[in-house]
Amino acid sequence: MSENLPTLPEGYATEALHGPVRLPALYATAGASAAASAVTDAASSAARKVMPGLRNSPVGRVLPASWREEKPGRVAASLELPRVAHEVRGLSADPEWHEKFCRVVRASTHPVTPGSDRSAVFSGALHALAFPVAMSLLTRPDFPLPVLGMVHLSNTVHHVTDVAVGEPVTATAWVENLRAHRSGTMVDAVVTLTREDGDVAWAGRSTYLAKGVHAAIAGQEPAGTASDETPERHEFTAPLPTGEWRLGAGTGREYAAVSGDYNPIHLSDPSAKALGMKSAIAHGMYTASRALAMTGVPAEVPFVWSVDFATPVRLPATVAVAVDDDGRGDHWSASRVQVWDPKRGRPHADLRVSAL
């Protein structure tokens, strides 16, 4: 089982982070960086438009010599990921927080071991616990992609053993697999949660796409044609629904309150439109967690789950859901949950779970 778990790449240094990692502060950092970049890009664009005219006007005679000659366009530097992992020790799921999280995503709980009075942390909640550590890497000054513009494509999680509510774990996060895509550049953010005995209890990989970012990647030969690693999109045929979710306009704010993920695209129409969206959309991990909560994974069974995201869920919305469990109880082996827009026939998410 351990051979399938992600491991820290060779040559990465580890930086210990002290104190809680706050997502709102990280989003503020990302927003400030994006604003500064926009101003710089706008100034450069304006200069490129104005300078030819100035050079050919009487003003051109008094321009500094370095401005009088037209220079070739700036070539973007090759992209390179920071070779560092962030580590946070002593993370744990607070009982009250965990109860609220499970209530928002409709997840039930079970004892960490038979007869125990301690609950096991829901796997989607473990992602929420680990996500801020990954975000601390994505908002580093030396991370080469604009985090607020990235599209969340997919997740793969290995839930090796249950973690008890209140049990301390160590989160270790890093970024890897920077690669070209026909629509931009892709990257993976990886987080592991390790028990005090050193065993990995949970490991998650999130794949993102920075649309429109096309540049050479350090250490890679220029590709003639960028790869397309997104899941192959077949024509969607809606299965027979087994239920539906009615999601209000405040769904994003409710999930943000328990996950800490206050990305503006999820909070309201005005804040989403400010970042180029048509309206507020549901968090991908809200959709994934709620879908996971509908599966028949038995207690104490190690499992792996993955989710591919398609079209976003625009709020408010009513979405159709189909749950297909291969066996129940002791006979369970796998599950699939599909979520889609019943009016337009467009898929939102496809989650698959299987025993490890």
Side-chain angles (χ1 to χ4, degrees):
M1 187 184 301
S2 60
E3 63 271 12
N4 297 321
L5 298 177
T7 56
L8 186 65
E10 185 177 351
Y12 275 51
T14 300
E15 293 182 3
L17 304 184
H18 302 287
V21 181
R22 305 293 187 189
L23 279 176
L26 295 178
Y27 278 119
T29 299
S33 176
S37 177
V39 170
T40 301
D41 291 346
S44 298
S45 177
R48 286 194 296 271
K49 293 177 181 178
V50 171
M51 287 307 296
L54 288 178
R55 291 190 189 102
N56 296 326
S57 73
V59 177
R61 300 180 204 170
V62 297
L63 287 174
S66 61
W67 291 15
R68 290 183 211 145
E69 297 181 5
E70 187 170 357
K71 296 180 176 60
R74 183 180 63 181
V75 178
S78 59
L79 302 179
E80 187 171 6
L81 294 175
R83 297 178 64 80
V84 63
H86 284 183
E87 179 182 88
V88 176
R89 295 179 176 272
L91 282 179
S92 63
D94 174 78
E96 184 178 351
W97 168 79
H98 184 248
E99 182 181 343
K100 290 178 179 178
F101 186 96
C102 290
R103 190 182 310 132
V104 167
V105 301
R106 311 293 200 274
S108 58
T109 60
H110 62 265
V112 67
T113 56
S116 172
D117 58 356
R118 302 175 73 188
S119 295
V121 183
F122 174 60
S123 196
L126 287 174
H127 177 276
L129 194 68
F131 179 63
V133 188
M135 268 294 291
S136 71
L137 277 161
L138 301 180
T139 54
R140 284 174 59 102
D142 55 354
F143 182 72
L145 302 175
V147 64
L148 288 184
M150 293 198 302
V151 178
H152 190 180
L153 296 179
S154 63
N155 276 77
T156 299
V157 170
H158 287 76
H159 189 110
V160 183
T161 60
D162 282 339
V163 174
V165 170
E167 178 183 353
V169 292
T170 295
T172 305
W174 65 91
V175 285
E176 63 181 20
N177 294 342
L178 193 67
R179 65 261 195 210
H181 181 275
R182 60 183 172 79
S183 298
T185 301
M186 295 174 68
V187 68
D188 292 345
V190 182
V191 188
T192 62
L193 296 178
T194 308
R195 303 190 119 94
E196 291 183 331
D197 61 8
D199 289 340
V200 173
W202 184 98
R205 179 183 300 274
S206 302
T207 299
Y208 299 97
L209 168 66
K211 288 184 120 179
V213 178
H214 296 279
I217 297 174
Q220 295 184 19
E221 292 292 330
T225 303
S227 63
D228 182 358
E229 295 184 28
T230 50
E232 186 178 353
R233 302 294 187 198
H234 300 287
E235 183 176 350
F236 176 72
T237 301
L240 184 67
T242 58
E244 68 174 21
W245 303 342
R246 296 185 179 183
L247 309 178
T251 299
R253 294 187 293 275
E254 292 173 3
Y255 185 75
V258 293
S259 68
D261 187 351
Y262 284 92
N263 188 326
I265 64 174
H266 304 302
L267 304 182
S268 68
D269 286 352
S271 62
K273 288 177 180 177
L275 292 176
M277 305 296 292
K278 294 181 180 179
S279 63
I281 61 174
H283 293 75
M285 292 312 296
Y286 167 84
T287 304
S289 292
R290 189 157 175 184
L292 181 63
M294 301 181 76
T295 64
V297 182
E300 300 183 75
V301 171
F303 60 95
V304 58
W305 59 273
S306 61
V307 59
D308 293 321
F309 299 109
T311 58
V313 179
R314 303 195 183 281
L315 299 171
T318 297
V319 299
V321 183
V323 181
D324 181 14
D325 285 322
D326 186 356
R328 300 291 290 187
D330 293 341
H331 301 290
W332 176 87
S333 62
S335 295
R336 183 182 184 185
V337 183
Q338 296 180 78
V339 184
W340 71 96
D341 180 339
K343 290 184 178 179
R344 296 177 176 84
R346 295 177 181 174
H348 293 308
D350 189 352
L351 178 135
R352 297 171 187 263
V353 193
S354 59
L356 278 173

